[in-house]
Amino acid sequence: MVANAALRLRIAERRMTKAELAREVNAEVKTLTGKLGTVSERTVHNWLTGQTRWPPAKIRLALTAVFDCPSEELGFVPTGRAQSSATEEDVKRRDFIAAAGGTTVAALTGAAAGPRRIGISDVQHLQARFAEVVASDHRHGGRLSIETRAGQLADEALALQERSTATQRIRAQLYASAASFMSSAMWAAIDGRRFAAALQYHQKAASLAAMSGDSSIQFRIWSHAGSLYRHLGRPGDALAANDVARNLPIARRDPLFASLGHARHAAIHGLTGDTNAVRRSLGHAQEALDRADSGVSRPLWITAFYDQAELGSLALAAYLSAGSWEEAEAHAHRCMALRRGAMQRSHAITTVRLAHAQLGRGDLEPAVATAMSVPAEVSAHPRVTGMLNAFDTKLGDLADGSNLARTWAEYAHNSRRTTA
């Protein structure tokens, strides 16, 4: 029996206790399967001593999400049958489906009994799982476990399509469900700064959405693509992708979709420094939002996040990118006043953007106070971390060696130790 030195080192680097690691793994298992995990301190002890060399698949996925690295890098070694299996990705896919209980392909398709006819209840089951993915994204955002789960559920929807008989309408809805899951995997990858994976998800999602004929999910996917290229610093590609979304029938028919399309266009224009284009797009976005009928039935994914606060957030991003500090700060305050309480990650992103705007205006002391107000539990989110690191660099350029810079440096150091 060989002790797991790699895992012990990872735990030491993060200053975690066995109980803390157990709690985090159990939480990730719940994100993956819908049920809280049963990992205990004794379980962690067995990992560290080498008594357990290759945990079950859902535990490996949870550990991967906690430490953001593959199981092998945590010192775990496949044994026996696991070692001879095709690939780790195949193991993850098979074991995840087995671990997900009531959402398995077998449970939905009745594979042992041969093909069966599927109907609207099967589609509704998948839509309920999609609602869970959207809710998990709002709570956590960017986690590898969300990306993995969404990708697996897309596979589940496609397997249901292949192993069953259905009407053309139901098949179209199954493709739309698969595209929805794939778009959530894409967004989780974007939010977690895993851009190469996001590009791959986009290709798959766009193909599935085209086969579904559902312009609302096509809008989501191409709008996400615009955001992806914006984060990659490619405004030309971002504008082109967002134009695909804006020209879809749903955007012409529903002012809420039109508003989101214009708002994201404004954020992209911010990268080019074209403040006139930013103002023009934001004006169109506000006008469309004012016309949107709140009584209209719409997909969950857009009603769950897009409102006046999110329009303000995109306006803030646009003006911040364009270097219009005063307008950026004004939109930040409006957005924070309107933001829904449950969206902690979004609130944190707005807070850091406000700090950047204050820094741009030369208000260094308020900027540092704003940045220090970001909750520690949210500051570890990849987007928030990157924005705080950029804030650190800008503050160093403006006030290197000052008492204010030292205060921030000490706070940032202690904060990283707390969340590590």
Side-chain angles (χ1 to χ4, degrees):
M1 187 166 60
V2 180
N4 189 333
L7 180 62
R8 188 177 298 279
L9 179 61
R10 294 276 185 170
I11 293 173
E13 287 174 346
R14 294 174 65 111
R15 292 178 169 80
M16 299 174 77
T17 65
K18 293 177 184 177
E20 288 170 340
L21 176 56
R23 281 197 297 272
E24 287 205 27
V25 170
N26 286 334
E28 290 295 344
V29 169
K30 184 175 182 180
T31 299
L32 285 165
T33 68
K35 296 180 180 179
L36 190 68
T38 58
V39 170
S40 65
E41 290 185 62
R42 182 65 188 176
T43 310
V44 178
H45 172 78
N46 290 343
W47 296 340
L48 292 171
T49 60
Q51 287 181 263
T52 301
R53 298 181 63 195
W54 190 242
K58 64 181 177 181
I59 301 300
R60 299 199 305 274
L61 285 171
L63 283 163
T64 295
V66 170
F67 291 103
D68 200 21
C69 66
S71 302
E72 289 86 346
E73 292 183 20
L74 296 174
F76 293 111
V77 181
T79 58
R81 225 176 81 186
Q83 197 168 21
S84 63
S85 62
T87 65
E88 173 63 10
E89 282 304 312
D90 291 336
V91 172
K92 285 180 180 180
R93 177 172 289 105
R94 183 180 64 250
D95 289 348
F96 174 85
I97 292 173
T103 63
T104 63
V105 173
L108 284 170
T109 63
R116 70 175 179 84
R117 191 168 185 81
I118 55 176
I120 192 62
S121 63
D122 299 288
V123 173
Q124 289 171 341
H125 177 86
L126 290 169
Q127 289 172 341
R129 301 287 77 77
F130 180 57
E132 292 171 3
V133 170
V134 171
S136 183
D137 176 70
H138 281 192
R139 285 195 304 272
H140 307 296
R143 288 190 179 181
L144 185 60
S145 57
I146 299 173
E147 175 188 331
T148 301
R149 187 184 186 204
Q152 298 290 355
L153 287 169
D155 287 348
E156 179 180 318
L158 291 174
L160 186 62
Q161 170 91 260
E162 292 168 3
R163 301 180 187 183
S164 309
T165 61
T167 65
Q168 184 176 354
R169 182 174 67 87
I170 293 297
R171 288 200 180 281
Q173 292 182 5
L174 286 175
Y175 278 123
S177 293
S180 297
F181 289 126
M182 200 63 75
S183 69
S184 284
M186 176 186 175
W187 181 251
I190 294 170
D191 211 18
R193 292 306 192 252
R194 297 180 292 275
F195 296 132
L199 286 166
Q200 293 180 344
Y201 286 125
H202 173 247
Q203 292 176 351
K204 297 175 183 177
S207 296
L208 292 168
M211 286 188 284
S212 77
D214 185 334
S215 67
S216 66
I217 194 58
Q218 290 177 40
F219 180 98
R220 187 186 199 216
I221 290 161
W222 284 102
S223 184
H224 280 349
S227 296
L228 170 59
Y229 289 123
R230 174 165 64 89
H231 288 302
L232 287 170
R234 293 162 57 178
D237 289 335
L239 289 169
N242 200 53
D243 270 335
V244 175
R246 295 197 310 149
N247 289 324
L248 287 164
I250 190 70
R252 296 194 297 270
R253 185 171 66 245
D254 190 331
L256 190 68
F257 283 83
S259 178
L260 177 56
H262 287 305
R264 284 185 165 160
H265 230 55
I268 299 166
H269 281 307
L271 287 180
T272 68
D274 189 345
T275 54
N276 288 330
V278 167
R279 291 190 185 94
R280 185 166 55 251
S281 292
L282 289 175
H284 292 321
Q286 186 63 62
E287 186 272 334
L289 184 60
D290 291 340
R291 287 190 291 109
D293 184 353
S294 60
V296 173
S297 177
R298 296 183 175 93
L300 169 72
W301 65 263
I302 191 168
T303 59
F305 89 100
Y306 189 66
D307 55 12
Q308 188 67 59
E310 182 62 22
L311 173 51
S313 176
L314 289 165
L316 161 60
Y319 283 120
L320 195 63
S321 296
S324 300
W325 315 121
E326 187 173 346
E327 290 172 294
E329 182 174 359
H331 281 286
H333 288 300
R334 292 192 201 106
C335 178
M336 292 172 73
L338 295 169
R339 179 71 73 188
R340 304 177 204 182
M343 301 177 74
Q344 292 185 353
R345 171 201 51 183
S346 297
H347 188 79
I349 290 171
T350 300
T351 302
V352 183
R353 283 173 174 164
L354 171 59
H356 275 273
Q358 291 169 326
L359 206 59
R361 296 189 66 184
D363 297 333
L364 272 56
E365 191 169 343
V368 169
T370 299
M372 289 172 64
S373 72
V374 176
E377 63 270 21
V378 191
S379 64
H381 183 279
R383 283 178 69 187
V384 179
T385 299
M387 293 165 69
L388 287 172
N389 289 340
F391 177 86
D392 182 275
T393 300
K394 289 180 182 177
L395 181 64
D397 292 340
L398 293 170
D400 188 32
S402 68
N403 289 334
L404 194 61
R406 284 192 290 271
T407 298
W408 166 253
E410 182 179 353
Y411 169 81
H413 176 72
N414 291 337
S415 180
R416 279 192 288 269
R417 288 181 57 187
T418 301
T419 56

